[in-house]
Amino acid sequence: MNILILGSGGRECTLAWKLAQSPKCGDLFIAPGNAGTIDFGTNLELNPNDFDDLKEAVLRHCIEMVIVGPEDPLVNGIHDYFLEDSDLKNIPVIGPQKYAAQLEGSKEFAKEFMYRHDIPTAQYKSFTLENLQEGFDFLETLNAPYVLKADGLAAGKGVLILDDLQEAKKELEEMLGQQKFGAASSKVVIEEFLDGIEMSSFVLTDSENYVILPNAKDYKRIGEGDKGLNTGGMGAISPVPFADDEFLSKVEKRVIIPTIDGLKKDKISYVGFIFIGLIRVNNEPYVIEYNVRMGDPETEVVIPRIQSDLVDLFEATAAKKLNNFKLDIDPRSATTVMMVSGGYPEAYGKGMEITGLENVKDSIVFHAGTKLSDNKIITSGGRVLAVTSYGEDFKRALEQSYKNIGQIHFDKMNFRTDIGFDL
Ligand code: AMP
Ligand code: GLY
């Protein structure tokens, strides 16, 4: 089977690595891919949001399945585009249609879905410029800290958590009145603050059945001890040590099953990954957010723990036969540490040569922001490499990742030395 992966990060490199191991994988293409995905398939210089160009490539390369990595092609309706095109409609797309992608594309849509189906989540109200004053009044009823969320996609920057009421009011006014996050903040969700520890569950559904993938925890802040600006993610661990069987069974009963049933009740056909961001409060799971794709860098620890053939898993998804699929999971822990470019997540340099990759032993280096230039591997993004290792427990796996990071070099490289510090 010829397969196309859309995206260019560590997540897509990991999917390519795993798909290429399958005897069923024919020609593998990654659009646009990076310097790491070249080891597993052919990179296509295409924009995942340019659907007409993708169509042409899919037909030319006889592609028989499309795996969508990032959220924006989903929110922009790539799956709908395939279903509506007579040449493409029989080619399975792993990733939900545009309507369902609002679970990630609109915070309000996601909150309404959770309320409608009794899925535990923080109390909230949403506001636009027209009812700004009501927003101020609602803030007065809450205790600090105040959680303000831009309704739309804001590249992970649209959530503000503020200790001071006056500051929260000022930010609300800037989000709504001055469109601080562009159109994404023309509506703002204000939420009750939940105090707990976060982790994520990953589910793959064929719209009827689901399988639960390994869970994971990521580290979003740039600085040690979870300080500083938010990033796409600086490292991840799977499984999450505090998520014992009792807690995971609550997650399945109270969150996963109501989510899958809720989609069915709402007649929302959903084929693809559901990434459920959870927070544990008094040993109860609450949903912080849904994403309609896999996480990055969570994929770099979740997928390596899946022993089953990934082409088989996606074929079962496309055929709506996940009920018969037995997922084999590696009992070992997996960890990944992101090597980023100095300055990230603010301004950072690009084009630095990466050396020492050939000295890495017993870790897997998944490429994120890299590209090939004159036969050299150079940096091309903020998050550059994800160094993944296995271990009997996460501490041993981490030791291995850190040992191998010591072999790799690029100018101004940065990474967190304390992944897993809170566990
Ligand atoms: P989100 O984009 O909705 O996942 O929010 C980004 C981050 O903000 C989450 O990963 C949490 O760390 C934090 N957060 C979001 N909502 C809440 C909440 N209601 N209570 C506490 N922290 C939150
Ligand atoms: N690592 C968080 C995300 O992928 O959204």
Side-chain angles (χ1 to χ4, degrees):
M1 167 178 281
N2 292 349
I3 301 174
L4 170 65
I5 302 172
L6 299 184
S8 63
R11 167 181 48 212
E12 290 75 20
C13 189
T14 311
L15 290 166
W17 166 84
K18 179 71 179 165
L19 286 170
Q21 292 168 30
S22 168
K24 288 191 172 170
C25 186
D27 293 337
L28 181 63
F29 298 91
I30 309 95
N34 58 38
T37 57
I38 296 170
D39 288 342
F40 312 115
T42 306
N43 287 352
L44 301 176
E45 251 185 72
L46 292 173
N47 175 348
N49 287 302
D50 195 330
F51 300 163
D52 292 339
D53 282 359
L54 290 178
K55 172 178 176 176
E56 197 269 320
V58 163
L59 297 177
R60 181 151 42 94
H61 297 294
C62 303
I63 284 160
E64 297 162 273
M65 181 179 282
V66 179
I67 317 295
V68 186
E71 63 279 13
D72 40 334
L74 297 167
V75 171
N76 293 336
I78 182 146
H79 195 154
D80 312 62
Y81 179 93
F82 270 63
L83 290 174
E84 286 156 15
D85 186 295
S86 55
D87 295 328
L88 302 177
K89 67 173 193 277
N90 295 320
I91 298 172
V93 175
I94 305 296
Q97 292 164 56
K98 188 174 181 153
Y99 185 78
Q102 290 180 89
L103 279 180
E104 174 162 1
S106 162
K107 301 274 185 205
E108 185 184 48
F109 181 92
K111 291 300 263 190
E112 285 175 350
F113 177 86
M114 289 184 254
Y115 266 47
R116 194 157 60 243
H117 302 295
D118 280 330
I119 295 165
T121 189
Q123 310 268 1
Y124 82 105
K125 277 194 176 151
S126 53
F127 302 93
T128 59
L129 191 56
E130 274 96 79
N131 58 358
L132 179 63
Q133 185 56 45
E134 284 169 44
F136 292 156
D137 296 345
F138 183 62
L139 282 170
E140 305 249 4
T141 69
L142 299 174
N143 296 318
Y146 305 93
V147 182
L148 268 50
K149 298 186 175 183
D151 178 60
L153 290 182
K157 299 200 175 90
V159 176
L160 300 177
I161 299 182
L162 305 155
D163 288 320
D164 180 72
L165 179 63
Q166 291 317 318
E167 204 190 333
K169 288 184 176 174
K170 185 173 143 266
E171 291 287 354
L172 179 65
E173 184 153 25
E174 281 179 18
M175 286 170 92
L176 292 174
Q178 292 154 44
Q179 306 231 330
K180 179 170 179 156
F181 300 106
S185 70
S186 56
K187 193 181 277 171
V188 172
V189 167
I190 303 181
E191 276 187 23
E192 158 204 21
F193 179 81
L194 296 175
D195 194 8
I197 187 160
E198 288 176 63
M199 61 164 289
S200 298
S201 273
F202 300 91
V203 178
L204 182 64
T205 176
D206 60 18
S207 79
E208 290 293 327
N209 317 286
Y210 65 90
V211 291
I212 302 178
L213 308 178
N215 57 58
K217 176 166 176 57
D218 83 333
Y219 291 82
K220 288 202 183 85
R221 303 295 193 94
I222 186 70
E224 313 269 313
D226 279 344
K227 301 267 160 39
L229 294 174
N230 258 326
T231 69
M234 296 294 288
I237 286 174
S238 175
V240 180
F242 69 74
D244 55 18
D245 288 348
E246 186 199 346
F247 184 71
L248 292 177
S249 113
K250 285 184 188 172
V251 171
E252 183 166 14
K253 270 200 209 100
R254 295 185 194 161
V255 176
I256 296 174
I257 294 174
T259 298
I260 301 293
D261 287 349
L263 290 167
K264 287 189 212 166
K265 280 183 200 151
D266 291 350
K267 301 204 166 33
I268 300 174
S269 162
Y270 194 117
V271 176
F273 294 103
I274 312 178
F275 162 165
I276 310 175
L278 296 165
I279 188 160
R280 186 187 65 165
V281 184
N282 300 324
N283 211 30
E284 294 295 325
Y286 289 80
V287 177
I288 291 276
E289 64 166 348
Y290 288 111
N291 293 307
V292 296
R293 52 171 174 87
M294 281 299 294
D296 193 351
E298 292 90 332
T299 305
E300 288 92 306
V301 292
V302 170
I303 294 291
R305 292 192 59 232
I306 296 179
Q307 291 170 324
S308 310
D309 184 300
L310 202 59
V311 176
D312 282 344
L313 182 63
F314 288 148
E315 275 188 334
T317 308
K320 300 202 191 310
K321 288 192 174 147
L322 279 179
N323 51 326
N324 294 325
F325 199 90
K326 197 190 150 292
L327 194 71
D328 293 321
I329 295 179
D330 193 321
R332 290 175 298 172
S333 287
T335 60
T336 199
V337 180
M338 269 287 174
M339 301 180 68
V340 306
S341 199
Y344 172 81
E346 296 183 282
Y348 56 84
K350 289 184 188 174
M352 279 86 79
E353 185 179 353
I354 303 168
T355 56
L357 290 169
E358 67 284 1
N359 301 326
V360 170
K361 281 202 191 72
D362 299 324
S363 289
I364 314 162
V365 180
F366 295 117
H367 288 228
T370 70
K371 71 174 190 189
L372 214 51
S373 167
D374 296 332
N375 278 324
K376 288 180 185 157
I377 298 176
I378 61 170
T379 72
S380 65
R383 293 194 295 169
V384 177
L385 300 167
V387 181
T388 293
S389 313
Y390 296 100
E392 252 170 72
D393 55 37
F394 80 85
K395 289 194 177 135
R396 279 184 229 191
L398 271 175
E399 270 169 33
Q400 191 61 25
S401 287
Y402 285 124
K403 203 159 104 192
N404 277 312
I405 282 179
Q407 303 292 328
I408 304 171
H409 180 79
F410 55 89
D411 203 22
K412 300 198 176 74
M413 66 184 219
N414 181 26
F415 58 93
R416 267 180 69 168
T417 63
D418 70 340
I419 300 302
F421 79 99
D422 53 343
L423 298 174

